[in-house]
Amino acid sequence: MIEIDALTKIYGETRAVDAVSMTVETSSITAIVGTSGSGKTTLLRMVNRLVEPSSGEVRINGERTADMAPYKLRRRIGYAIQGHGLFPHHSVGRNIGAVPRLLGWSKKDIRARVDELLELFGMEPDAFRDRFPHELSGGQQQRVGVARALASRPDLMLMDEPFGALDPIIRARAQEDLRRIQRQLGSTIMLVTHDMDEAIRLGDRVAVMDGGKLVQYAPPEEIVSRPASDFVAEMVGDNERPIRLLALIPVADAMEEGNAEGPAVAATASLRDALAMGLWSARDALPVERDGEVVGRVTMDAIRARAERPE
Amino acid sequence: MTSWPGLVLRGVILALVVALVTVPEAFRPVFAPVAPTPQQAIYTRTSILSLAMSHLALVAIACAAATIVAVTLAIAVSRPGGAAFRPLSRTIANVGQTFPPVAVLALAVPALGFGSGPTLVALFLYGLLPVFENAMTAFATLPKTTLDAARGMGLTRAQRLWQVELPLALPVILTGVRLSVVISLGTATIGSTVAASTLGEVIIAGLLTNNTAFVLQGGLIVGLFAVLIYDAFVLLEVWLARRTGRATTR
Ligand SMILES: Nc1ncnc2c1ncn2[C@@H]1O[C@H](COP(=O)(O)OP(=O)(O)O)[C@@H](O)[C@H]1O
Ligand SMILES: [Mg+2]
């Protein structure tokens, strides 16, 4: 558990981060979202003390970070940034093994971990281990950057717009990969983004920043359905709100008994997917399947009910 | 770069310079047409080999010292705390360069006496600026995200310097060392006016006795050394730059 307690950073006249308090649960993703200059990067960098707080403190599993030597603290915290920051003069394997090497792991353990991570990110170890970063595509470089941050099984992983430099298709894949790998490893992640879509898609909780202040910290459903301020509402986008809400709800949640005509929608798909299918094929209800068997149906009325403004 | 004609040309130049230095007598027919008498076609007062070796040694020692000092200085002023000294150190290095070499020799002789000492000082001073300027550029243009990631991963200051900054700066620093070596190879010839043993001795003997053969002989060897060493540095820089995926710097 990461506790951030009244954390503040003042640059001259600017309160870059203004008394932010929040708790990040172990094995969850917290997405920090806000416009440019809202203090996201500064907040993140105070956690691993790349920026020293003006006041307030951070505790990791109860330990005050202010009491640790910065370089030792940083070795316990993964760090991945936009533009990856790989070492151009080191092979992929050496890049990924960098922190384990700092921590004194054996060569054998480092090699095993490098191969495990390359596999996890869908990169054949024998083909990629000895390549240099400039011999990779942008998406591959980014994956190596994230793999490097995960290598020592850190208590916490900080990611600052890690997918910011990727084109939309590769970006969507990178987000899916991250979600899958985070679930698999149980990592604790704080991720900064300026993209509300990304925050809603990836975050177990979303922290919205505005002018250095934390204006709302809640699960994505709540951010979408009950924005705490006009600013948050604007970030979410009025027109997209019902669709965003539907995208967060699995079909299974709105399923009922009964039959329907035509091709089925998966129980694990989102209501947004179901809505799209229903509209496209002009049906009032769709069969729902799980593991290839029809288990019920979902009606357009039920979907509409879930998209309405909560009272 | 490493094409067949290139390799052959390098081999020929290397063989030529080795022959000029080890068996100068073999070139008597070549230089005889420009010598006052055939007997004076080849410089024989001192062994060319020993002059060449001592010439190269002076250059190597002076440039090594200049590189160590200039890179250390560049590291110091490229740290956050050293920023205030950046303009000053640039000025000093530049002023050092505008001092004529002969003046440096003249000033150093009273302090260090005749021989290699004053020459080493002059070469050292002239070697500083190119290395310093290049090292400053190298440290100022390191990829920001890489440095940030290195700090964020928990590398200590020393680890960042040795494992990240220096290796990444190396190709650009080497360009400075190359310039400094080539300048020194030429400047070292003047050292023989204050009794340093360098290939300048051959050239100056030629100038004093109106013997074009000596001037050509000494000049040719120095020139070929410069070509070969310049070329070796370029190859090394290109290889390093390619390994780190940077565009080749020349
Ligand atoms: N090193 C610094 N010195 C002065 N001001 C800074 C510094 N870093 C950030 N700021 C200011 O703090 C505010 C927040 O910056 P930042 O955390 O980078 O925002 P974000 O990552 O949300 O775009 C901005 O107004 C920025 O200009
Ligand atoms: Mg930022």
Side-chain angles (χ1 to χ4, degrees):
Chain A
M1 189 171 68
I2 321 302
E3 294 160 283
I4 293 174
D5 195 351
L7 207 56
T8 300
K9 180 70 191 182
I10 301 171
Y11 288 114
E13 299 286 288
T14 327
R15 300 180 84 86
V17 173
D18 195 356
V20 168
S21 296
M22 58 199 267
T23 301
V24 173
E25 294 300 332
T26 302
S27 298
S28 75
I29 299 185
T30 294
I32 302 167
V33 65
T35 49
S36 171
S38 56
K40 310 180 293 293
T41 296
T42 307
L43 175 63
L44 200 71
R45 287 165 71 91
M46 281 195 281
V47 174
N48 66 358
R49 292 181 60 194
L50 286 173
V51 170
E52 288 294 344
S54 304
S55 64
E57 66 174 36
V58 179
R59 291 181 296 276
I60 299 182
N61 302 327
E63 270 182 275
R64 283 159 41 95
T65 57
D67 297 340
M68 303 176 207
Y71 73 94
K72 284 190 182 152
L73 168 71
R74 290 175 198 145
R75 288 175 191 181
R76 291 175 48 182
I77 300 179
Y79 186 54
I81 49 182
Q82 177 170 6
H84 64 72
L86 295 176
F87 299 136
H89 58 309
H90 288 171
S91 67
V92 165
R94 223 174 138 191
N95 265 288
I96 297 179
V99 179
R101 198 166 342 105
L102 288 174
L103 295 172
W105 290 22
S106 74
K107 280 212 162 69
K108 199 169 122 268
D109 289 350
I110 294 176
R111 180 164 171 125
R113 181 66 174 159
V114 166
D115 287 3
E116 181 189 338
L117 282 164
L118 283 172
E119 295 265 9
L120 200 57
F121 281 86
M123 298 168 79
E124 176 58 39
D126 286 333
F128 284 97
R129 194 189 300 120
D130 297 321
R131 286 208 206 165
F132 282 86
H134 68 96
E135 298 169 317
L136 306 178
S137 72
Q140 290 167 340
Q141 289 172 340
Q142 195 53 49
R143 274 181 271 168
V144 173
V146 176
R148 179 173 71 171
L150 282 168
S152 64
R153 304 189 180 88
D155 299 333
L156 169 65
M157 170 121 145
L158 304 177
M159 306 180 83
D160 194 348
E161 313 223 6
F163 310 127
L166 303 181
D167 62 63
I169 293 178
I170 296 179
R171 189 179 171 131
R173 256 200 52 203
Q175 289 168 345
E176 271 164 41
D177 278 352
L178 180 70
R179 191 78 244 199
R180 171 177 58 81
I181 289 163
Q182 184 268 340
R183 290 271 179 272
Q184 206 168 325
L185 304 179
S187 328
T188 310
I189 298 179
M190 290 177 76
L191 178 139
V192 159
T193 174
H194 60 259
D195 175 3
M196 187 52 104
D197 256 330
E198 183 165 281
I200 289 174
R201 194 166 318 150
L202 289 177
D204 292 302
R205 291 178 79 92
V206 176
V208 186
M209 302 265 308
D210 181 25
K213 290 201 169 62
L214 179 63
V215 291
Q216 189 168 11
Y217 182 43
E221 297 79 13
E222 201 175 318
I223 298 277
V224 175
S225 58
R226 289 188 208 81
S229 69
D230 290 347
F231 175 78
V232 180
E234 198 184 322
M235 286 286 299
V236 174
D238 279 340
N239 295 337
E240 286 150 71
R241 260 205 279 170
I243 305 298
R244 286 220 157 110
L245 209 50
L246 291 180
L248 289 165
I249 307 170
V251 168
D253 282 16
M255 192 173 73
E256 59 185 40
E257 308 248 307
N259 298 318
E261 294 291 312
V265 60
T268 52
S270 72
L271 285 183
R272 174 186 177 167
D273 300 333
L275 175 69
M277 275 178 82
L279 288 174
W280 197 243
S281 54
R283 285 180 284 169
D284 288 326
L286 308 175
V288 177
E289 61 161 14
R290 183 176 278 137
D291 304 326
E293 270 183 56
V294 173
V295 289
R297 67 172 186 180
V298 60
T299 63
M300 297 305 267
D301 283 342
I303 295 175
R304 215 175 59 206
R306 301 302 290 258
E308 274 169 22
R309 173 158 51 119
E311 62 297 333
Chain B
M1 246 323 8
T2 43
S3 61
W4 271 110
L7 277 180
V8 170
L9 186 61
R10 280 187 194 110
V12 168
I13 294 177
L14 184 65
L16 180 63
V17 79
V18 168
L20 275 166
V21 168
T22 53
V23 285
E25 287 296 333
F27 293 84
R28 195 171 282 279
V30 181
F31 293 112
V34 289
T37 69
Q39 285 71 36
Q40 289 170 287
I42 294 297
Y43 189 79
T44 49
R45 199 169 325 140
T46 323
S47 127
I48 299 283
L49 180 62
S50 79
L51 287 178
M53 285 303 125
S54 123
H55 190 117
L56 290 179
L58 279 176
V59 169
I61 292 168
C63 288
T67 301
I68 291 169
V69 172
V71 172
T72 309
L73 206 62
I75 290 171
V77 299
S78 63
R79 301 302 97 175
F85 300 101
R86 231 169 276 167
L88 179 69
S89 55
R90 274 227 156 86
T91 310
I92 292 176
N94 276 302
V95 168
Q97 197 78 0
T98 56
F99 233 72
V102 178
V104 175
L105 288 181
L107 288 175
V109 167
L112 300 169
F114 282 88
S116 319
T119 311
L120 273 176
V121 169
L123 296 187
F124 168 78
L125 289 178
Y126 284 87
L128 281 177
L129 183 72
V131 182
F132 180 71
E133 282 290 338
N134 274 272
M136 290 292 289
T137 308
F139 286 117
T141 56
L142 291 174
K144 290 271 180 308
T145 52
T146 300
L147 300 186
D148 190 42
R151 202 155 84 86
M153 282 160 60
L155 274 78
T156 60
R157 268 163 175 273
Q159 286 168 333
R160 294 201 300 272
L161 178 65
W162 288 103
Q163 298 176 20
V164 183
E165 296 176 48
L166 274 173
L168 289 180
L170 193 58
V172 179
I173 293 177
L174 277 181
T175 306
V177 178
R178 157 160 59 96
L179 296 178
S180 144
V181 167
V182 170
I183 294 171
S184 292
L185 277 169
T187 313
T189 56
I190 305 172
S192 54
T193 57
V194 293
S197 105
T198 76
L199 289 164
E201 186 180 317
V202 183
I203 298 172
I204 286 167
L207 292 173
L208 292 178
T209 59
N210 265 330
N211 184 346
T212 314
F214 287 177
V215 178
L216 271 182
Q217 192 188 355
L220 189 62
I221 298 173
V222 174
L224 291 180
F225 274 152
V227 168
L228 284 174
I229 293 174
Y230 185 97
D231 182 59
F233 267 100
V234 170
L235 287 182
L236 184 63
E237 288 158 36
V238 169
W239 180 75
L240 279 173
R242 197 171 289 164
R243 244 176 60 101
T244 60
R246 283 196 174 188
T248 53
T249 47
R250 288 205 75 170

